[in-house]
Amino acid sequence: MKIIRCLHFSVQRRFKLMVLSLLFLTFMMHFILDVLSLSTTVSCSCPSENHPRAKTRMVRKSPVVRSLQDFSGSNGSSVYGSPMLKASEVNAKDSNKKLTRYQGSKLTSLFQHPLYNTPIPEIKEEDMLFRVNAEERFTLKEIGSEEWVSAGLKFELPTGEAAADTYPTWLKFHIGINRYALYPRQDPLIPILLKEISTQHILNSVQKTGGTQLKLLMTFPNYGQALFKPMKQDRNQETSPDFFYFSDFERHNAEIAAFHLDRILDFRRIPPVVGRLVNITKEVRDITTDKKLFKTFYISPGMLKKAFFKSITEKNAASAGIAEMTNNICFYGECSYYCSTEHALCGKPDLLEGSLAAFLPDTELAKRKSWRSPWRRSYHKSKKADWELNLNYCDTVKVMPPYSEGTRLLDLIDLSILDFFMGNQDRHHYETFEKFGNETFLLHLDNGRGFGRHSYDDQSILAPLQQCCRVKKSTLQRLQLLATDPYRLSDVMRESLSMDPLAPILSEPHLFALDRRLGLILSAVKECFTKEGQHRVVYEDLARLPKERK
């Protein structure tokens, strides 16, 4: 028995030693593998953040996150928050590192540059859209403006010796329109007008007639008016490549961004636009005199989640008169395309983002002429336009009035450059003030279909530049300036857009796309230089510039 017991203990000891030995060997193997993997990671020759290959990641295509039926109701604004916004915020932090070398405001520095202070022609009386006659008296209601009649309002110009300072801001803006631009550089009226549009009490809201999508005409107590385009998709969503340009949504943030971009390019051909958070119950439904619009309001079955209250201030919630777990208010209006319950516009529960564009003078007071663009797309699902098939198409356009004389063709090329920056394919018409004839600027209206895709650069939009190989010297030099670090286009746009009440207006990928597209525009001009010669491509429109300030 003793022998058996000794053998048993001996086997047990050996088994325990074997188990302990195996555990020790396993631990040592894991430790060695960890050390080896750490050294491999440290010695990896992967590209850093500053490597050119690393930067190309910013341009990669993001997945399509919407479908035709669902993106009209996704009001993912800056107020409500969006999961995708976090990624853009990270990109914003990276881009802000570039700003550390420059002190102060890039935007202010840009507008102080000599290129933005070039001499302008002397403005004579015939160059002004309106002649201000203190003794002349008329009412807008009497001249047959349907929009003013529908609002049930009238406005009378001051009479007698009334000073221009007593005019409302919107009227001063109208009076300041001239042959060369909608407003002068550094115009102190524009910030005031934008603030008034974004904060003034809304007296009435009616639907704007015409168009494929819903737009509202809003009237203020000082008789000013603005065109409201409601939010229809999240600013971080990208338009599907399978969508035709004529079936895309009009984006409220595109209208806002277009105004800022137009001003930065020194065109000043887009009326002032600002963002506003509208209470569609108190500021639309309860005050509208439009019975057809009123009938399209309804309460959705969707309930507002408690998380919403964490993303808005108590002041906004109180002013909206909302409580937790409230049904959303929706409406859809009447139009020829996206006006149905499937594409209804819904507040959360009452609040809805939108853009407000300052109204231009009534067409009965200042007639406008609509021109069909020679580079208009076919608006057919399979056919192509003439300019898409004929590379020498510009030779035909150049001999046709009004492009055969003056700067009309060059102004149209300016417009194509603006549209290329925005990715806007929907420029079928443009307008001019009839009073000025052919010697005037083009109005850059209806920009809502811009900024839909940041991952794709449609160079066919640049066809007028590429086929005609002509560009204004002022336009070219400003583009070259905006390609330099101190005045980087994405940086000045970001700074300018940050002043809007609904900021951020554009996601970071859209801002980076502006820099990329600027490079493509300058490359197209270089190709023209090679083909035609610089002296034949650049149109001299600049007077002698003063020396740059040090």
Side-chain angles (χ1 to χ4, degrees), residues 46-58 90 93-95 97-98:
C46 302
S48 65
E49 288 184 3
N50 296 323
H51 195 279
R53 292 182 183 177
K55 292 182 180 180
T56 58
R57 297 176 185 174
M58 307 298 290
V90 172
K93 291 177 181 178
D94 292 339
S95 63
K97 294 177 183 178
K98 301 176 184 177

Side-chain angles (χ1 to χ4, degrees), residues 260-395:
H260 287 260
L261 179 60
D262 179 82
R263 188 170 67 107
I264 286 170
L265 294 174
D266 199 42
F267 292 154
R268 292 169 285 124
R269 301 164 194 170
I270 294 179
V273 186
V274 68
R276 178 164 177 163
L277 198 61
V278 172
N279 185 315
I280 59 175
T281 299
K282 295 181 178 180
E283 296 177 317
V284 181
R285 188 192 66 181
D286 293 351
I287 61 174
T288 185
T289 56
D290 190 333
K291 294 181 180 179
K292 291 182 179 179
L293 175 66
F294 181 80
K295 289 179 180 178
T296 65
F297 276 85
Y298 66 92
I299 298 176
S300 78
M303 303 292 284
L304 188 69
K305 296 180 180 179
K306 292 183 179 180
F308 167 71
F309 291 89
K310 296 179 181 179
S311 62
I312 64 172
T313 62
E314 293 181 2
K315 184 178 179 181
N316 282 339
S319 63
I322 56 179
E324 293 189 17
M325 303 303 290
T326 308
N327 293 88
N328 298 330
I329 306 298
C330 304
F331 70 107
Y332 51 88
E334 288 189 356
C335 62
S336 59
Y337 219 103
Y338 287 122
C339 287
S340 62
T341 53
E342 290 82 6
H343 301 97
L345 301 162
C346 299
K348 293 192 175 183
D350 303 81
L351 302 179
L352 177 66
E353 274 191 26
S355 65
L356 276 168
F359 228 55
L360 289 174
D362 190 278
T363 52
E364 292 293 332
L365 297 174
K367 292 183 179 180
R368 301 198 298 268
K369 188 169 183 178
S370 179
W371 304 81
R372 178 170 171 155
S373 172
W375 280 272
R376 179 182 185 271
R377 295 179 186 272
S378 67
Y379 288 84
H380 192 279
K381 294 178 182 178
S382 57
K383 292 182 180 179
K384 290 189 175 182
D386 291 343
W387 61 268
E388 294 178 281
L389 303 172
N390 181 9
L391 295 178
N392 298 318
Y393 178 75
C394 188
D395 294 338

Side-chain angles (χ1 to χ4, degrees), residues 374-375 387 390-400 403 409 413 463-470:
W375 280 272
W387 61 268
N390 181 9
L391 295 178
N392 298 318
Y393 178 75
C394 188
D395 294 338
T396 305
V397 177
K398 286 190 292 188
V399 298
M400 292 170 20
Y403 307 102
L409 182 59
I413 290 171
L465 171 63
Q466 294 168 329
Q467 294 179 359
C468 298
C469 273
R470 293 282 279 164

Side-chain angles (χ1 to χ4, degrees), residues 236-255:
N236 294 294
Q237 289 177 308
E238 190 173 18
T239 301
S240 168
D242 297 324
F243 275 38
F244 285 102
Y245 42 86
F246 49 81
S247 63
D248 195 9
F249 276 128
E250 293 183 5
R251 287 167 281 276
H252 74 301
N253 61 315
E255 293 284 1

Side-chain angles (χ1 to χ4, degrees), residues 64-118:
V64 177
V65 293
R66 64 184 177 112
S67 63
L68 181 61
Q69 278 73 27
D70 66 6
F71 54 46
S72 63
S74 59
N75 299 318
S77 69
S78 59
V79 178
Y80 313 136
S82 171
M84 295 184 67
L85 196 57
K86 294 179 180 179
S88 63
E89 288 173 352
V90 172
N91 291 334
K93 291 177 181 178
D94 292 339
S95 63
N96 286 337
K97 294 177 183 178
K98 301 176 184 177
L99 302 178
T100 56
R101 289 180 292 170
Y102 309 106
Q103 299 297 323
S105 166
K106 282 192 174 186
L107 190 64
T108 301
S109 179
L110 178 72
F111 289 150
Q112 289 175 349
H113 192 277
L115 281 172
Y116 289 79
N117 292 276
T118 55

Side-chain angles (χ1 to χ4, degrees), residues 467-525:
Q467 294 179 359
C468 298
C469 273
R470 293 282 279 164
V471 66
K472 291 180 183 177
K473 185 176 181 179
S474 60
T475 300
L476 177 59
Q477 290 193 352
R478 290 186 187 106
L479 292 174
Q480 291 170 335
L481 182 69
L482 291 166
T484 62
D485 281 341
Y487 309 100
R488 184 71 59 188
L489 178 57
S490 59
D491 292 339
V492 293
M493 268 292 284
R494 185 184 296 105
E495 182 181 344
S496 185
L497 292 172
S498 67
M499 303 173 191
D500 191 88
L502 299 182
I505 301 302
L506 292 179
S507 63
E508 286 299 309
H510 277 295
L511 292 170
F512 296 142
L514 291 175
D515 294 333
R516 186 175 71 246
R517 289 166 185 170
L518 175 54
L520 293 173
I521 294 169
L522 294 176
S523 296
V525 174

